[in-house]
């Protein structure tokens, strides 16, 4: 299957079957989402959602978070991965928001990545989710699913190279939702160790499925009514 056709079929399937796709992190404003995304690095959204309510309540503004210490924040986030580093990042992030950005979350990559704890992936999540920009955040799910389906070639060995390939081939207006399509598909269907190929609706568009099960016809399996 040619690349253009694969993209068209995959996008059409998601549009038909997953018309609504959004972040599973809980938040009420850009500042809270920024906190949640920083905490979610190498940690599940479920865990992050468990610990953020008291954090949001006690530190409702960048000013409040900037005025505390990493040691205090550690007690709120101790159950996430790398709590010491993330506590320092959160306080540092808040201080920079207050001092450099008038307590507002920036809407562009260049400013976002200046914030402690914010890399390109986190910045792209904020741009996409908050500001609806055509930014493709590549986490482990997006990286894995993109390669398995065949949306990106094996030569794309870094998150940035995968990001560039996806952005080049997905219509700009669909990039924000496509980010969530790929994440959710990787989280619940195309899982790392045991992909659920038998129930996946993308079977006949998927390079991994066709290669693994020696499928030669581009025809979907008949489903029992």
């Amino acid at each position: 299957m040619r690349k253009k056709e694969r993209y068209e079929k995959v996008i059409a399937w998601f549009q038909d079957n997953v018309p609504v796709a959004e972040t599973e992190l809980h938040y009420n404003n850009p500042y809270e989402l920024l906190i949640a995304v920083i905490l979610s690095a190498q940690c599940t959204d479920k865990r992050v959602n468990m610990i953020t309510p008291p954090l949001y309540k006690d530190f409702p503004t960048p000013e409040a978070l900037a005025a505390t210490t990493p040691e205090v924040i550690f007690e709120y986030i101790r159950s996430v991965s790398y709590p010491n580093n993330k506590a320092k990042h959160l306080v540092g992030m808040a201080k920079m928001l207050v001092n450099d950005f008038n307590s507002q979350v920036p809407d562009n990559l260049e400013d976002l990545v200046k914030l402690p704890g914010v890399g390109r992936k986190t910045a792209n999540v904020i741009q996409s989710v908050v500001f609806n920009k055509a930014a493709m955040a590549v986490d482990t799910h997006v990286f894995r699913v993109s390669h398995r389906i065949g949306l990106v070639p094996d030569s794309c060995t870094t998150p940035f190279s995968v990001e560039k390939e996806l952005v080049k081939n997905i219509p700009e207006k669909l990039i924000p939702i496509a980010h969530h399509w790929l994440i959710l598909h990787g989280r619940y269907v195309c899982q790392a160790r045991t992909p659920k190929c038998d129930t996946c609706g993308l079977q006949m568009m998927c390079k991994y499925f066709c290669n693994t099960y020696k499928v030669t016809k581009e025809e979907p399996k008949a489903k029992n009514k």
Side-chain angles (χ1 to χ4, degrees):
M1 185 182 296
R2 293 181 179 277
K3 180 195 295 184
K4 185 174 184 294
E5 181 185 5
R6 192 186 305 277
Y7 269 93
E8 289 174 348
K9 286 181 177 291
V10 169
I11 289 171
W13 185 88
F14 276 122
Q15 287 179 314
D16 289 342
N17 293 275
V18 194
V20 178
E22 54 194 13
T23 182
E24 294 185 315
L25 291 169
H26 297 166
Y27 70 100
N28 298 297
N29 54 56
Y31 162 69
E32 289 184 357
L33 180 62
L34 183 53
I35 290 174
V37 178
I38 290 174
L39 290 173
S40 71
Q42 299 184 43
C43 187
T44 66
D45 288 1
K46 182 178 179 180
R47 169 60 56 182
V48 172
N49 289 336
M50 290 172 61
I51 68 165
T52 46
L55 193 62
Y56 296 161
K57 179 177 180 292
D58 292 349
F59 305 95
T61 64
E63 289 83 358
L65 185 55
T68 190
T69 66
E71 290 74 23
V72 170
I73 298 303
F74 175 85
E75 297 302 322
Y76 288 80
I77 69 169
R78 59 190 311 152
S79 65
V80 303
S81 57
Y82 308 107
N84 282 301
N85 284 339
K86 289 178 180 178
K88 294 175 184 175
H89 289 157
L90 289 179
V91 174
M93 172 273 290
K95 288 181 177 178
M96 185 172 286
L97 285 184
V98 173
N99 295 330
D100 297 352
F101 299 106
N102 196 31
S103 297
Q104 300 298 308
V105 175
D107 64 356
N108 62 86
L109 179 71
E110 292 72 23
D111 286 336
L112 283 164
V113 295
K114 294 176 183 176
L115 299 169
V118 177
R120 187 180 183 90
K121 185 200 79 174
T122 297
N124 279 343
V125 170
I126 298 300
Q127 289 189 102
S128 173
V129 175
V130 175
F131 302 106
N132 201 38
K133 290 190 174 184
M136 175 61 70
V138 178
D139 67 354
T140 56
H141 296 303
V142 174
F143 190 89
R144 178 179 69 256
V145 171
S146 298
H147 280 94
R148 277 188 180 162
I149 294 175
L151 297 177
V152 302
D154 293 339
S155 58
C156 289
T157 57
T158 65
F160 183 51
S161 62
V162 169
E163 176 190 332
K164 289 194 297 183
E165 186 73 10
L166 292 174
V167 168
K168 183 172 68 176
N169 291 283
I170 297 174
E172 184 174 344
K173 66 178 182 180
L174 294 178
I175 289 174
I177 193 172
H179 159 69
H180 296 300
W181 282 337
L182 295 172
I183 285 178
L184 295 174
H185 195 69
R187 187 172 290 164
Y188 298 111
V189 182
C190 193
Q191 297 169 337
R193 295 182 180 179
T194 54
K196 300 177 181 178
C197 294
D198 56 332
T199 60
C200 179
L202 294 173
Q203 287 177 352
M204 294 305 149
M205 310 159 218
C206 177
K207 181 180 177 182
Y208 173 85
F209 179 85
C210 292
N211 288 343
T212 301
Y213 297 97
K214 311 301 180 185
V215 176
T216 56
K217 292 184 178 181
E218 300 288 347
E219 298 176 357
K221 288 184 176 181
K223 293 184 179 180
N224 295 325
K225 297 289 185 180

